[in-house]
């Protein structure tokens, strides 16, 4: 009799385990199904700047590689405005299904949240799922080839000679290139009139046309123009001369202790399923670590990223803390 009771208890225990396991599997199925069916159509990749700039160039390269690996179209959508916060807000408000992503960057997620204050409705960390760092690069200052400027010393001299200083373009208020202008102005003791554009592409065209004598730009969007000779590079914000542009002196070499690095990455809305994040991160790493990507990044003057999603999220939080006091101390304001 006791043996029968023990056997019945054992069978009951096994049955309960089976039922619990089945229940757990059933609960996991929706998330698993979403991950297995993703992507279920074209992916929208929002670039919060106008076409032609470093963010746009990086995004289009990444979109092509991801599209090939995922077997769907990755469509780049330019949504510039308000220091890259307009397009970023679009993604923060999107469904967290992995179908809408943003090319996050130092402006949208590092600087603009402080610069624009309450105008920014998203939290740069909590409102997003940060997937992967894509590329990092220094800034470069380029001038119109007929401007008569060939060095930072020329810029300082001309700014002092002209009442109100010189006009200096950038991809927009709140960008790292904007703050580089502000910081240089403080160190050199000269005024600048900041001319913000809705992206580096339009700003570069204005410099080439002579509408603005110079601009502060991220290297990837300037690289081709420098090589073609349509603009002249006078300074690089890297700690040492860049191997792809050894002829361009650094700010430090010219007497100004300025070192600055821009970054471009991939993020989505908060709450994306972990399985989709893991898959997307894996595919991004595959794209940017390929020999083709490394050669392309070297050509553009950038370096591929290597952060995990957790590391990248912590990096964004650190960037906000890093830039907040710089923005406040600089006196930079939205134009």
């Amino acid at each position: 009799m006791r043996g029968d009771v023990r056997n019945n208890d054992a069978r009951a225990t096994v049955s309960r385990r089976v039922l619990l396991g089945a229940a757990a599997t059933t609960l996991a199925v929706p998330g698993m199904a979403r991950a297995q069916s993703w992507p279920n159509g074209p992916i929208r990749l929002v670039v919060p700047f106008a076409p032609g700039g470093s963010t746009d160039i990086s995004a289009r390269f990444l979109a092509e590689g991801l599209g090939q690996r995922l077997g769907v179209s990755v469509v780049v959508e330019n949504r510039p405005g308000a220091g890259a916060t307009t397009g970023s807000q679009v993604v923060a408000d999107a469904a967290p299904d992995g179908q809408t992503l943003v090319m996050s960057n130092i402006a949208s997620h590092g600087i603009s949240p402080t610069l624009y204050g309450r105008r920014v409705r998203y939290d740069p960390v909590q409102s997003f799922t940060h997937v992967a760092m894509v590329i990092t690069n220094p800034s470069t200052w380029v001038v119109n080839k007929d401007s008569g400027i060939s060095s930072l010393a020329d810029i300082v001299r001309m700014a002092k000679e002209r009442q109100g200083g010189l006009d200096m373009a950038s991809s927009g208020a709140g960008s790292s290139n904007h703050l580089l202008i502000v910081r240089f102005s403080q160190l050199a003791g000269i005024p600048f009139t900041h001319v913000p554009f809705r992206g580096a592409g339009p700003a570069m065209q204005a410099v080439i046309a002579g509408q603005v004598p110079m601009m502060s730009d991220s290297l990837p969007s300037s690289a081709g123009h420098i090589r073609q000779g349509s603009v002249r590079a006078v300074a690089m914000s890297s700690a040492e001369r860049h191997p792809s542009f050894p002829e361009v002196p650094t700010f430090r070499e010219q007497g100004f202790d300025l070192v600055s690095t821009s970054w471009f990455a991939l993020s989505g809305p908060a709450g994306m399923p972990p399985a989709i994040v893991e898959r997307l991160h894996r595919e991004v790493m595959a794209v940017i670590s390929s020999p083709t990507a490394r050669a392309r990044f070297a050509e553009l003057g950038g370096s591929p990223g290597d952060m995990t999603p957790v590391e990248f999220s912590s990096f964004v939080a650190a960037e906000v803390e890093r830039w907040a006091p710089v923005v406040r101390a600089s006196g930079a304001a939205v134009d």
Side-chain angles (χ1 to χ4, degrees):
M1 175 72 96
R2 291 181 179 176
D4 292 340
V5 170
R6 284 195 295 268
N7 289 337
N8 288 336
D9 288 344
R11 285 193 292 270
T13 299
V14 171
S15 296
R16 282 195 296 272
R17 289 175 179 170
V18 170
L19 289 172
L20 288 172
T25 300
T26 300
L27 290 172
V29 163
M32 292 170 59
R34 285 195 298 270
Q36 290 173 354
S37 63
W38 180 86
N40 55 20
I43 293 174
R44 178 188 183 197
L45 177 53
V46 176
V47 173
F49 287 107
S54 296
T55 316
D56 184 67
I57 292 170
S58 302
R60 292 181 186 278
F61 180 85
L62 180 64
E64 181 180 0
L66 281 179
Q68 292 173 353
R69 294 191 63 84
L70 295 173
V72 298
S73 297
V74 179
V75 182
V76 173
E77 177 183 326
N78 295 91
R79 295 290 295 270
T85 64
T86 300
S88 299
Q89 186 65 61
V90 169
V91 177
D93 293 338
D97 55 8
Q99 297 296 136
T100 303
L101 305 169
V102 64
M103 206 67 183
S104 51
N105 55 84
I106 191 173
S108 62
H109 286 72
I111 298 172
S112 290
T114 299
L115 186 68
Y116 284 80
R118 294 181 180 179
R119 298 186 188 185
V120 179
R121 293 188 292 109
Y122 62 78
D123 182 288
V125 179
Q126 301 300 325
S127 300
F128 297 87
T129 299
H130 294 298
V131 179
M133 179 66 72
V134 176
I135 183 174
T136 61
N137 59 264
S139 295
T140 182
W141 278 18
V142 298
V143 302
N144 177 276
K145 61 183 182 180
D146 299 319
S147 65
I149 299 171
S150 59
S151 67
L152 294 180
D154 289 337
I155 292 176
V156 173
R157 174 181 54 78
M158 294 174 68
K160 289 181 176 179
E161 291 174 353
R162 300 182 186 184
Q163 187 174 1
L166 296 173
D167 290 344
M168 172 78 91
S170 81
S171 59
S175 65
S176 59
N177 291 303
H178 173 201
L179 287 191
L180 192 59
I181 297 170
V182 172
R183 186 61 182 141
F184 183 85
S185 175
Q186 293 173 333
L187 291 177
I190 58 173
F192 281 108
T193 298
H194 177 226
V195 184
F197 285 77
R198 292 169 67 88
M204 180 63 73
Q205 291 307 313
V207 173
I208 293 173
Q211 298 167 354
V212 183
M214 55 191 175
M215 75 175 288
S216 178
D217 193 20
S218 295
L219 185 54
S221 60
S222 294
H225 298 286
I226 296 170
R227 288 193 176 97
Q228 293 167 10
S230 53
V231 293
R232 181 186 304 116
V234 298
M236 195 83 72
S237 71
S238 48
E240 299 177 350
R241 292 204 182 198
H242 199 283
S244 297
F245 296 90
E247 74 283 4
V248 182
T250 66
F251 280 87
R252 281 181 170 175
E253 286 181 83
Q254 299 180 73
F256 299 93
D257 190 15
L258 288 175
V259 176
S260 177
T261 302
S262 296
W263 53 267
F264 309 96
L266 190 67
S267 303
M272 285 174 55
I276 292 179
V277 176
E278 181 182 354
R279 168 88 187 280
L280 187 54
H281 177 266
R282 185 169 66 249
E283 300 298 357
V284 171
M285 291 298 103
V287 171
I288 67 176
S289 64
S290 68
T292 299
R294 291 187 177 278
R296 177 59 172 156
F297 285 177
E299 179 184 350
L300 294 172
S303 302
D306 60 355
M307 297 182 188
T308 66
V310 172
E311 290 170 339
F312 176 32
S313 186
S314 296
F315 172 82
V316 173
E319 282 288 271
V320 175
E321 292 185 6
R322 172 193 174 199
W323 285 103
V326 176
V327 172
R328 297 188 185 108
S330 71
V334 176
D335 300 74

